[in-house]
Amino acid sequence: MTPAERINKLTDKLNHYNEQYYQNAISEISDQEFDALLQELEQLESQFPELKREDSPTHRVGGTITKEFPTVVHKYPMLSLSNTYNEQELLDWDERIQKVLADRPYEYICEIKFDGISLSMTYEDGYLRRAVTRGDGTQGDDITANVKTLKSLPLKTPTKAQELGLGESFEIRGEGFMPNKVFERINEDLVADGKEPLANPRNSAAGTFKMQDSSVVASRDLDCYVYQYLSDNDDFKTHEESLIALKSAGYNVSDSWRKVATIQEAIEYINEWSDKRHDLPCATDGIVIKVNDYAQREELGYTAKSPRWAIAYKYKAESKSTKLLDVTYQVGRTGAVTPVAELEPVVLSMTTVRRATLHNADEIERLGLAKGDYVFVEKAGEIIPKITKVDDSKFSEEIFREPVKFISNCPACNTALIRNEGEAAWLCPNEKGCPPQIKGRIEHFIQRKALDIDSLGEGKIELLIENQLIHDAGDLYSLTFDHLLGLEKVHIDELTGKSRKVSFKEKTVENILKGIEASKSQSFAKVLFGLGIRFVGQTTGEKLADYFGSLEKLKAASFDELIEVPDVGEKVAQSIIEFFKDEDNLRLLEKLSLAGLQLESQNTVKEVEGNALEGLTLLYTGTFKNYSREELEQKIAANGGKFVKSLSKKLSYLIVGESAGPSKLAKAEKLGVQMISEEEFEALVG
Ligand code: IVH
């Protein structure tokens, strides 16, 4: 079989498996078999790039770097919808429709209004040719490489398209979104990295679709619901027909749409989905009602911005008034004090809310809160409850309405709080003696992304501290069976207020000790993250581990050496230096070293692997999924290539990773240097 034949065969086969999996929920082969075929295709494509097909499944894994997205003028403008917020406005709209259609019968299609970014996909000559953002409605950004990573979107016009009535060339429109599950996963990672979480799935989707590196986009598992078909021919008579045809052809049309005969039925649909929509995989903000018949749509026409034949009903963010019982304060691992509103329980978006964050002292002042006030609670981005304002329509039953005043001393250890310049949070400076800070540091150490000792939940750490068995994470490694057996206490969950008994029986103790023992094999990067050095999150921990290779070297590093590390700025470097100056921290490290934790990076690739890179010079920029910088250099050497430090015309390949430096990319482009992704590099070395 020639390479061209093999590439064609692999492409068709893999597309078939993908279609079966994503559209029909059938797995015809195992994940490993699929990956092996995909890898073979990737390798062939990198050897014969001219044979790579437009519908190659390798587009799904990304690898294309776009510096600036070209602007594309929409063939059919992308209009917006007029919004309504109440029934009366809907009834008025319906009346106008009736009038224009001169009392002839008409139907509506009701759909969920998905809250992401609108995308327009053009299929020409059998392939997905372009995917463009809405932009200003007239022209948008060409983000084809990023959209090709959406697994539910056919890259080729589906085989059944013609038979189902879809034309030769057509456009489909839909809403690109970040599934709620993915949003939560990314936020978990960001928080563990000590970074600010993303505000909501919509903004996260918008940001991700505009990323330069499509392999990062691929890793975020975005998706798209299709809700519109457009072509120059009258392929369908009604919207309903087009939705059915698109769905049968394999497009991801949500099953939530419904055909109705009256505006009353549309209102029923709205009420029905008001709660149910929270179970959908993506954020939603309303309902769209559209006239079904295309000829009637033309009669109704358009305003400058939106069609007269469609309207959006927006759900209000659910907000309820409840009583502020008290304000309590939580002290985190870093000493930051967060005020928390204790509320009379209230049901919001189907969950009972008892507490809401008040963020910081400024927020309390902005709201002008007093104990006993009624306040409006809202679910921001439908995830974290917050207080939006005081409910002035209900009076506080308190005789003296005394505004809440932020505490001046730590609620746990009574130390006077301080506030650093330019920061919103008040801090307890008693790092060494403040119990929640001590506990917070140990909890940070045992979390999944650090040493992963999941047999030691929160209540258990508390118990160990109270019994003076541990003072820092290092003490965990001298715990014995006899220390632990029989310990007991009632634990009250901070969030739910529920209490449960924690007691150490034989099995529990065995599990704890097993978990502690297993943590000794966690990587140096994880240990580094677990130490909780301020501003050193998971990613920075990995970069430091890669760069220095051992705790000894990191400890000996000067400020100037530290800021050489990618991602490490002055603030982080200073914090690392402070950490290693502290006597208690040095004692902790001593305990960890004695216990046998991994305080050095393990280098995996050393030996000679092949000569695929013989005679070639390579340089890289950015960070990589599967390699540290050191590992990548070793991989180049192990395959006969030469790693060089500067960019020149003679360079064979520039390997481009995530968050690659834009100036380096621009220079490489100017010099005409060939750029390859991490995956392409891997395909080269086999
Ligand atoms: S139809 C001309 N249907 O809402 C009308 N739009 O506010 C075209 N959207 O830009 C839009 N779900 O991004 C339509 N089922 C749905 C939708 C939907 C979400 C978005 C879309 C559009 C915006 C208009």
Side-chain angles (χ1 to χ4, degrees):
M1 204 182 278
T2 65
E5 283 166 347
R6 185 70 187 153
I7 284 181
N8 278 335
K9 181 143 194 202
L10 284 167
T11 306
D12 287 337
K13 244 183 159 177
L14 289 163
N15 282 346
H16 166 78
Y17 294 138
N18 258 336
E19 195 176 324
Q20 287 291 69
Y21 186 77
Y22 287 102
Q23 278 137 37
N24 304 326
I26 302 171
S27 307
E28 287 187 1
I29 57 167
S30 71
D31 287 357
Q32 285 104 315
E33 284 167 317
F34 185 93
D35 288 344
L37 293 178
L38 191 68
Q39 255 179 26
E40 185 190 343
L41 179 61
E42 272 178 323
Q43 181 163 3
L44 280 169
E45 284 176 349
S46 75
Q47 259 178 299
F48 307 99
E50 69 284 359
L51 298 179
K52 176 164 167 167
R53 273 177 31 185
E54 278 179 83
D55 62 336
S56 166
T58 59
H59 288 295
R60 308 279 194 208
V61 291
T64 309
I65 310 285
T66 319
K67 270 202 291 125
E68 224 169 86
F69 300 110
T71 306
V72 177
V73 176
H74 295 297
K75 182 167 175 192
Y76 315 98
M78 290 184 83
L79 301 172
S80 52
L81 293 167
S82 51
N83 290 324
T84 56
Y85 296 89
N86 58 51
E87 276 187 24
Q88 191 52 50
E89 286 173 346
L90 282 180
L91 297 173
D92 294 347
W93 174 73
D94 179 57
E95 217 167 89
R96 288 197 296 274
I97 304 262
Q98 243 179 64
K99 228 188 214 158
V100 178
L101 297 180
D103 290 330
R104 271 172 289 141
Y106 55 91
E107 293 162 336
Y108 290 131
I109 300 290
C110 302
E111 291 171 19
I112 303 289
K113 190 167 188 296
F114 306 106
D115 196 13
I117 73 162
S118 41
L119 298 171
S120 183
M121 274 71 62
T122 305
Y123 286 78
E124 277 165 2
D125 308 321
Y127 289 100
L128 167 64
R129 280 278 145 81
R130 257 182 326 282
V132 185
T133 63
R134 179 173 183 277
D136 62 4
T138 308
Q139 52 184 36
D141 290 336
D142 182 336
I143 54 165
T144 311
N146 289 347
V147 172
K148 279 189 172 180
T149 67
L150 308 188
K151 301 199 180 71
S152 71
L153 186 72
L155 300 180
K156 202 175 166 192
T157 309
T159 8
K160 286 187 285 180
Q162 239 180 342
E163 175 191 322
L164 290 164
L166 276 76
E168 295 251 303
S169 295
F170 57 89
E171 271 188 49
I172 54 162
R173 293 201 174 150
E175 197 77 355
F177 64 90
M178 177 178 282
N180 293 336
K181 281 223 171 85
V182 177
F183 170 75
E184 281 158 24
R185 187 187 78 203
I186 294 174
N187 265 356
E188 249 180 48
D189 289 350
L190 287 172
V191 171
D193 255 5
K195 294 186 185 143
E196 275 292 304
L198 303 169
N200 57 53
R202 204 213 81 88
N203 290 358
S204 318
T208 308
F209 272 109
K210 295 278 191 73
M211 281 181 153
Q212 295 189 332
D213 183 345
S214 63
S215 46
V216 183
V217 182
S219 74
R220 292 199 165 181
D221 293 323
L222 299 173
D223 207 341
C224 172
Y225 275 135
V226 174
Y227 53 67
Q228 199 174 9
Y229 172 89
L230 290 157
S231 89
D232 286 343
N233 315 317
D234 291 334
D235 295 322
F236 301 105
K237 295 261 172 301
T238 63
H239 184 50
E240 179 187 24
E241 281 176 19
S242 76
L243 291 179
I244 293 173
L246 286 171
K247 180 81 181 182
S248 321
Y251 286 99
N252 190 18
V253 176
S254 165
D255 291 322
S256 50
W257 65 274
R258 183 186 299 164
K259 183 168 77 173
V260 299
T262 64
I263 196 72
Q264 281 311 332
E265 284 181 57
I267 292 169
E268 274 166 36
Y269 179 88
I270 290 174
N271 294 335
E272 233 178 271
W273 279 96
S274 126
D275 281 344
K276 244 173 39 185
R277 68 196 173 104
H278 299 297
D279 301 332
L280 292 169
C282 86
T284 58
D285 61 347
I287 296 294
V288 188
I289 307 172
K290 305 170 177 177
V291 169
N292 190 20
D293 188 277
Y294 285 163
Q296 291 182 340
R297 285 187 178 188
E298 287 318 303
E299 272 184 65
L300 288 157
Y302 300 82
T303 70
K305 281 195 239 136
S306 52
R308 290 204 175 86
W309 46 260
I311 198 156
Y313 173 89
K314 296 271 235 154
Y315 288 114
K316 286 180 206 74
E318 203 185 351
S319 172
K320 276 194 190 151
S321 168
T322 187
K323 193 169 167 183
L324 175 69
L325 301 174
D326 201 358
V327 174
T328 55
Y329 298 86
Q330 276 178 8
V331 185
R333 152 176 87 86
T334 59
V337 179
T338 311
V340 178
E342 305 286 343
L343 305 164
E344 209 158 73
V346 59
V347 177
L348 210 62
S349 302
M350 295 190 294
T351 51
T352 305
V353 176
R354 290 187 172 82
R355 315 181 90 194
T357 174
L358 286 166
H359 303 293
N360 52 45
D362 296 345
E363 179 73 356
I364 294 183
E365 213 164 289
R366 183 186 74 78
L367 293 163
L369 288 184
K371 237 196 255 181
D373 279 352
Y374 280 83
V375 290
F376 282 108
V377 195
E378 197 176 291
K379 280 218 163 170
E382 296 169 12
I383 292 171
I384 314 148
K386 70 171 185 196
I387 292 178
T388 50
K389 60 178 183 188
V390 171
D391 179 0
D392 292 326
S393 69
K394 287 190 197 153
F395 290 108
S396 162
E397 290 126 27
E398 304 289 313
I399 303 170
F400 302 109
R401 190 181 171 279
E402 206 179 315
V404 173
K405 214 167 149 267
F406 203 85
I407 47 170
S408 52
N409 289 62
C410 176
C413 68
N414 208 29
T415 307
L417 301 180
I418 56 162
R419 194 179 203 175
N420 290 332
E421 220 183 283
E423 281 181 25
W426 284 93
L427 294 173
C428 166
N430 181 17
E431 224 179 290
K432 302 283 160 74
C434 179
Q437 294 189 54
I438 298 172
K439 188 176 120 208
R441 282 195 292 271
I442 303 176
E443 279 167 2
H444 174 81
F445 184 85
I446 64 158
Q447 67 169 294
R448 186 169 55 83
K449 284 172 181 143
L451 279 291
D452 193 18
I453 315 181
D454 67 353
S455 50
L456 269 176
E458 193 189 338
K460 297 190 185 118
I461 295 285
E462 223 170 77
L463 185 54
L464 297 179
I465 296 177
E466 273 167 23
N467 282 279
Q468 311 230 337
L469 289 168
I470 57 171
H471 303 95
D472 63 25
D475 295 334
L476 292 173
Y477 297 92
S478 33
L479 290 174
T480 64
F481 193 87
D482 293 339
H483 283 138
L484 301 176
L485 194 68
L487 294 178
E488 202 171 82
K489 101 169 253 203
V490 174
H491 170 68
I492 299 170
D493 190 288
E494 279 182 6
L495 220 72
T496 59
K498 283 188 190 151
S499 62
R500 79 195 145 83
K501 201 157 134 193
V502 181
S503 112
F504 288 6
K505 304 212 175 66
E506 226 167 272
K507 190 92 201 122
T508 316
V509 173
E510 274 167 20
N511 273 341
I512 294 174
L513 293 175
K514 224 195 279 167
I516 294 174
E517 192 56 35
S519 73
K520 293 180 183 170
S521 55
Q522 295 291 356
S523 69
F524 172 43
K526 289 196 167 187
V527 178
L528 210 44
F529 168 57
L531 292 176
I533 305 173
R534 253 196 120 192
F535 311 121
V536 176
Q538 204 185 359
T539 316
T540 313
E542 281 166 12
K543 295 206 169 135
L544 287 166
D546 276 352
Y547 196 91
F548 292 103
S550 75
L551 185 76
E552 273 317 298
K553 287 197 185 130
L554 173 64
K555 202 161 119 189
S558 67
F559 181 84
D560 290 343
E561 280 169 304
L562 285 167
I563 55 172
E564 280 295 303
V565 183
D567 259 18
V568 175
E570 293 184 6
K571 204 165 78 172
V572 184
Q574 198 51 46
S575 160
I576 296 170
I577 297 217
E578 295 298 326
F579 182 88
F580 287 114
K581 269 198 214 151
D582 184 287
E583 291 288 327
D584 288 320
N585 290 339
L586 296 178
R587 263 194 294 276
L588 162 69
L589 294 172
E590 187 61 33
K591 289 182 211 171
L592 299 182
S593 164
L594 280 174
L597 267 73
Q598 304 291 321
L599 302 179
E600 279 180 26
S601 298
Q602 305 291 324
N603 293 326
T604 43
V605 197
K606 278 210 172 78
E607 71 280 18
V608 174
E609 292 177 356
N611 58 0
L613 305 178
E614 189 91 49
L616 301 178
T617 54
L618 295 99
L619 170 66
Y620 57 80
T621 174
T623 56
F624 298 87
K625 278 195 295 248
N626 297 330
Y627 309 95
S628 66
R629 295 151 71 98
E630 211 173 291
E631 282 166 355
L632 195 59
E633 287 170 28
Q634 281 169 357
K635 187 97 184 157
I636 293 172
N639 285 281
K642 190 166 174 233
F643 166 71
V644 293
K645 288 220 160 106
S646 66
L647 191 55
S648 77
K649 233 176 161 162
K650 283 188 252 150
L651 188 72
S652 315
Y653 291 112
L654 175 66
I655 316 169
V656 182
E658 277 175 37
S659 30
S663 59
K664 207 170 228 165
L665 295 180
K667 191 170 168 199
E669 190 143 298
K670 214 162 141 198
L671 294 170
V673 169
Q674 188 169 354
M675 292 185 250
I676 55 172
S677 66
E678 180 175 356
E679 288 77 14
E680 284 166 326
F681 169 74
E682 284 183 335
L684 267 181
V685 295

